[in-house]
Amino acid sequence: MAELADRLGVDGRTVRRYVAHLVDLDIPVEAVRGRYGGYRLAPGYRLPPLMLNDDEALAVLLGLVAGRRTGLLTATETAGETAAAKIRRALPERLARRLDAVMESLAFTAPPGESATPETGVLLAIADAVRQRRPISIRYTTRDGRRSTRTLHPYGIVTHAGRWYVTGTDPGIGHDRTFRLDRIADARTLPGSFEPPAGLDPVQRVLSGLAKAAYRYEVTLRIHGTVEQIRTRLPASVASVEAPAPAEGTDPDTARWLHVELRAERLDWLPPVLASLDLPFVIERPDELRDLVIALADRLATSARQA
């Protein structure tokens, strides 16, 4: 045991603790007495390809379950299930049975989110281009089915609401672009390199890009409150909030009139959101939203008057 402790760079007590841990994992470790004794595996036993303790195995399996429900797994929907099955087969039976009990008794309060899964090859190619700062050529299909080949300087990959995005600059037009990875059919690295802008935040680029995406309605509001209050109902992925510079000597966090812009395919969800803010607001456009807000106010007033 002294030789083993020396090779591992630990003391004898630590070696015994390691051995006890292996026994807990159902690894048949035998103690051999005598001058040349020590520890050895039982004859004929082969170590499994994966060694995880209880905490590690549970973390991996829960990570697979959470990834599948939030859309953060790639490839096919069965990839997470087959990976979990392979991990379970490599675990000691005692640990595997305990994990089975956890997975069978686990329930979720929220239904699985809608996932838009990118191809694994596309994700790996883009991630490598981000790290190496290499331009890429992608074959992309837009929301309305139009297909095109684009060149992109990719700055980062972002996951949001069960979807994967890549953000960067199109060098041909010099504009920032954000693309959904599940709509990319192919990604190919191009020669050359690029330098991303200083202080770049891919997350904020994606969120602001989603808030400014082209939809049927362009909504402009003025809301009297703080940015934090508005963000509780209109996050950065939905609306942009512009705050004028505060007057000298005033607290920048005090309520004031803020300019809010958002784009939407429908307007019927917005009146309840504005009502839930419980802040003074002015609708600048469109007129359809003003009519919907008035209709909601009338319905609420009618309901409130009923005995």
Side-chain angles (χ1 to χ4, degrees), residues 139 173 297:
R139 288 195 291 116
I173 60 177

Side-chain angles (χ1 to χ4, degrees), residues 225-227 240-246 252 256-260:
T226 66
V227 174
S240 62
V241 179
E242 294 183 7
R256 50 196 167 131
W257 287 101
L258 303 177
H259 183 77
V260 179

Side-chain angles (χ1 to χ4, degrees), residues 18-263:
Y18 288 166
V19 171
H21 181 58
L22 292 174
V23 173
D24 288 340
L25 291 174
D26 294 340
I27 306 299
V29 179
E30 298 178 346
V32 180
R33 297 183 179 276
R35 180 179 179 183
Y36 299 103
Y39 296 104
R40 69 182 182 187
L41 290 176
Y45 182 81
R46 297 179 60 187
L47 284 172
L50 188 66
M51 294 292 295
L52 298 174
N53 62 25
D54 294 29
D55 290 341
E56 293 167 340
L58 183 60
V60 170
L61 291 180
L62 290 179
L64 289 171
V65 172
R68 186 164 63 246
R69 292 183 66 88
T70 57
L72 296 185
L73 292 183
T74 61
T76 64
E77 293 183 359
T78 60
E81 297 175 1
T82 56
K86 291 178 180 178
I87 292 173
R88 191 209 177 284
R89 287 198 299 270
L91 296 174
E93 186 60 28
R94 175 197 61 81
L95 178 55
R97 286 197 305 268
R98 297 183 68 185
L99 292 177
D100 286 344
V102 173
M103 304 310 291
E104 291 172 3
S105 60
L106 185 62
F108 296 87
T109 59
E114 293 183 6
S115 61
T117 304
E119 294 183 9
T120 301
V122 168
L123 175 61
L124 295 178
I126 294 177
D128 188 62
V130 170
R131 183 176 61 181
Q132 302 295 335
R133 299 179 178 177
R134 299 279 302 276
I136 55 173
S137 174
I138 60 174
R139 288 195 291 116
Y140 192 73
T141 302
T142 61
R143 182 175 55 182
D144 56 7
R146 290 181 290 115
R147 299 180 180 179
S148 62
T149 300
R150 317 282 186 91
T151 298
L152 184 70
H153 289 175
Y155 298 148
I157 297 173
V158 177
T159 62
H160 173 69
R163 291 188 173 89
W164 297 71
Y165 299 89
V166 57
T167 183
T169 295
D170 185 333
I173 60 177
H175 290 168
D176 296 343
R177 301 302 304 270
T178 295
F179 299 100
R180 276 176 49 175
L181 262 64
D182 60 294
R183 292 177 178 166
I184 298 177
D186 180 64
R188 180 169 49 89
T189 304
L190 300 175
S193 62
F194 64 88
E195 200 63 35
L200 175 73
D201 187 346
V203 171
Q204 290 304 316
R205 289 174 69 105
V206 169
L207 293 179
S208 62
L210 292 175
K212 297 176 181 178
Y215 287 99
R216 180 180 177 184
Y217 295 101
E218 294 186 2
V219 179
T220 303
L221 307 163
R222 283 185 292 120
I223 301 177
H224 191 270
T226 66
V227 174
E228 290 73 17
Q229 288 173 323
I230 295 173
R231 285 290 181 229
T232 61
R233 295 294 184 269
L234 295 171
S237 60
V238 173
S240 62
V241 179
E242 294 183 7
E248 187 176 354
T250 61
D251 186 350
D253 294 328
T254 57
R256 50 196 167 131
W257 287 101
L258 303 177
H259 183 77
V260 179
E261 288 189 0
L262 61 99
R263 289 166 171 80

